[in-house]
Each structure stands twice: as C-alpha cells, then as structure tokens.
Amino acid sequence: MTTSATPQAAALPRIAVLATGGTIAGSAPDAANTAGYQAGVIGVAQLLAAVPGLDSVAQIHAEQVASVDSKDMSFALWSTLAQRVNELLASDDIDGVVITHGTDTLEETAYVLHLTVKSAKPVILTAAMRPASALSADGPLNLLNAVTLAASGQAGGQGVLVAFNNRIHCARDVAKISTYAVDAFQSPEIGALGWVQDGRVEFQRRALRPHTVDTPFGAAIQWPQVEIVTSYAGVSRLAVDALVSAGVRGIVVAGTGNGSIHATLQQALSDAVAKGIPVVRASRVGSGHVMHNGAAKDDALGFVSAGTLSPFKARVLLMLALATGTSEKAELQRVFDTY
Ligand code: SIN
C-alpha cells in the first residue's frame, strides 16, 4: 500500500512502514484494558490512520509482513524481515524503513537486523506498551516519532535504531526494562543516543561498533540451535547435559553478577566445551559488562565472554557467528569484542 502523493508531498522522504504485529497493533474489549488484550490484530492501514500529520512527514509505503505477538518471533520471520528490508532499501524509491513490532522481543529483532541489514539507509523499530484500543495509547506517537526519525536525514549510517517514548536507542544497547510502564525501554549503562520530540530529532552521540554494511553476517541462514541457561542458587547440571545430548550448537550462560557461575553449572559448561560446544558467558543482571577472565577464568575454562551484550543478544551474535562458520574460541572472542 502506497499513499498517493500531492506535488508538495512528492518532495517528502519515502519511508516504508513494515508491520509485524505486537501490542501497537493490539485490541482489547474496553479502553481501560492494558493487559488482557490480543496483540497483532490491527492492520497496518489502521495503525497509520491513527497518526495525525504523518502525511506531512513522509510519503508512506506500507506492508503487513506479519501479525504476531512477538513472544512467538521465529527464525523464519527474522530471515523474511531482513530480506524484505534489504530489498526495499536497495530501491531508489525508498529512503528508509520503519518496523512496528511487539515490545517483548523487539531488542532481539533489532540486533538481528543491526547485524544483517546491508544498507546505510535508516531502519527504525518502534512499538507500544498499550494496545491501540487503550486510553492514552502510546503507539501513534511512537510511530510518528519513528517515521520522523527515519525521514530526518540524521538516522542513516547509524545501524538499526529504536524510537520509543521519545528516545532514540541503538539496537545493540536497548533492552525492555519494565513489564508494564510506558517508558519500557532503556539502554542500560550506556544511555540513549538522543531523542525525537515535537517533530525534532536530536542526537547526542553515535554508536561506535560496526554494524549493517560493516559485518560479515546475513540472515538468509539456517539458524543454528543455541540455547540460554541461567546460574542461580542450587542450580543443577541437568539443563546443560540435556542440551549437549540433544546436539545443541552453542550455549550462552546468564551468570550471576559479573557473569560468575555456580561451580556445578561451571563444571557442566566446561564439559560441554570439551565436547566442542562453544559457551558464551553473559550476566543475568541486565546492566554492566562481563569482563574477559574476570569472574571466571575464561581462557582456562574455554569460555567466551559477552562483554556488554545481554544473554539474549549474545545468543543472536553466537548464532550468526556459528552460521558463518566461526566456532573457534579465539575467533569467537574477537567477534564478541567487535560487534
Ligand atoms: C508483543 O511483544 O508482541 C506483545 C507485547 C507488546 O508488544 O508490548
């Protein structure tokens, strides 16, 4: 679906809005309901129609790529989305892409695209915490801000960005930090890149790590099976041993504190490494970084440290690295130190 352009509108940037579902497209039986609703039921045309003034910001080309609750995000949809974004951005007719998404796995999809999109044109993800049917729904303003950012001429070359509650986040850093609040996303430790307000975009800093055109990764892959285990009081080695028996290709451990690991779990993971399964050590804390050879002796145990990546993003990077044939420990550590 493409909006027809008046002569004035024809001068505006051409932004593709790809809808995938989520609460931003959610509907509840009554306006006070912000928890017991169905996500991903409202179509992209209706989402756009709820945003006043959008047609004075950009010419919109809209596509419904999926209608899912993002808790059910799949590898197939990641690959489809990355491929469609690449196709659209390769066209001279599109200046940027905005993706509407559920909040629950937005940070994972954003990082997948950050590493696999092959264009310097802007790609912005946005979402909402309240369904479209709610009093004070946050989706329309988030969508307007996302399109404003994509059309601003300032978001290119910065990898995939997330526009949420007026802030601009880097896909690598952003995390959902509230189950219910409208201000649900932060970039812990590092902070937002800038903000969008009242039609104005202001960046305060840029993300430094390579992304998009500067990575060797693509999403047209067979996604290798990589799972996450967590360290906690009294944890057993049951989950790790089951994963190893099942033939898992890699394991990320969400350690305590600075990525420390219960001795029982650490032994199981070190046994997995001895069987050729890469293990990446992250933290369940949600902020800070996991220092190489810090809380665990990575080199002696054969582990890779995740640095500032959350366990969920470490899993994304490990899957992409394994899919490109990188499985040797020192090379994997270089990948984690780079991206
Ligand atoms: C979802 O992630 O699709 C549902 C939750 C949300 O978007 O806030």
Side-chain angles (χ1 to χ4, degrees):
M1 183 187 90
T2 305
T3 50
S4 57
T6 61
Q8 301 93 311
L12 293 173
R14 293 147 304 176
I15 304 300
V17 176
L18 307 185
T20 69
T23 293
I24 192 167
S27 183
D30 67 83
N33 183 331
T34 60
Y37 57 87
Q38 200 178 343
V41 291
I42 289 178
V44 65
Q46 208 178 326
L47 287 189
L48 293 167
V51 185
L54 197 61
D55 55 1
S56 59
V57 176
Q59 299 175 68
I60 302 293
H61 164 85
E63 291 182 19
Q64 191 77 46
V65 175
S67 297
V68 296
D69 185 320
S70 80
K71 72 181 175 56
D72 299 323
M73 183 51 59
S74 65
F75 296 139
L77 185 48
W78 274 350
S79 297
T80 300
L81 200 50
Q83 185 188 342
R84 190 64 191 131
V85 171
N86 280 328
E87 282 166 5
L88 285 163
L89 294 181
S91 160
D92 290 340
D93 295 333
I94 294 293
D95 299 309
V97 168
V98 167
I99 298 167
T100 61
H101 198 285
T103 60
D104 286 350
T105 58
L106 178 144
E107 66 209 62
E108 292 169 58
T109 302
Y111 192 44
V112 167
L113 296 174
H114 191 63
L115 294 173
T116 61
V117 163
K118 297 301 165 213
S119 173
K121 291 180 185 174
V123 179
I124 319 294
L125 271 75
T126 195
M129 287 298 284
R130 293 180 180 151
S133 53
L135 281 174
S136 302
D138 51 331
L141 185 56
N142 284 344
L143 182 51
L144 178 62
N145 285 340
V147 173
T148 301
L149 177 59
S152 69
Q154 297 184 57
Q158 304 218 49
V160 172
L161 302 172
V162 173
F164 200 90
N165 206 35
N166 294 106
R167 297 196 182 89
I168 305 166
H169 297 275
C170 173
R172 187 184 190 278
D173 305 326
V174 72
K176 185 172 179 180
I177 48 90
S178 174
T179 57
Y180 74 99
V182 171
D183 198 10
F185 285 86
Q186 278 182 10
S187 296
E189 193 75 24
I190 288 164
L193 298 178
W195 53 82
V196 190
Q197 192 172 19
D198 299 353
R200 281 167 38 194
V201 171
E202 189 169 328
F203 279 93
Q204 292 294 314
R205 62 183 189 85
R206 294 177 76 88
L208 295 178
R209 294 205 180 213
H211 51 72
T212 54
V213 293
D214 293 322
T215 82
F217 308 120
I221 55 170
Q222 286 293 329
W223 293 84
Q225 186 164 19
V226 172
E227 302 288 346
I228 301 172
V229 297
T230 305
S231 190
Y232 42 81
V235 65
S236 78
R237 55 180 295 147
L238 202 61
V240 171
D241 288 344
L243 291 174
V244 171
S245 300
V248 76
R249 293 275 312 281
I251 299 175
V252 173
V253 55
T256 41
N258 182 13
S260 57
I261 307 169
H262 190 293
T264 304
L265 190 63
Q266 182 166 296
Q267 185 59 57
L269 291 165
S270 156
D271 293 346
V273 169
K275 292 186 170 147
I277 298 166
V279 170
V280 175
R281 193 169 63 86
S283 172
R284 66 182 205 179
V285 166
S287 178
H289 66 123
V290 171
M291 235 168 60
H292 194 68
N293 290 326
K297 299 293 162 230
D298 294 302
D299 288 339
L301 292 160
F303 298 164
V304 170
S305 54
T308 51
L309 288 179
S310 70
F312 315 107
K313 289 185 183 174
R315 174 175 174 263
V316 164
L317 184 55
L318 182 54
M319 286 190 289
L320 290 171
L322 291 172
T324 55
T326 304
S327 58
E328 192 274 318
K329 194 202 147 266
E331 187 52 21
L332 274 176
Q333 188 63 62
R334 191 197 62 75
V335 165
F336 273 82
D337 291 344
T338 304
Y339 303 104

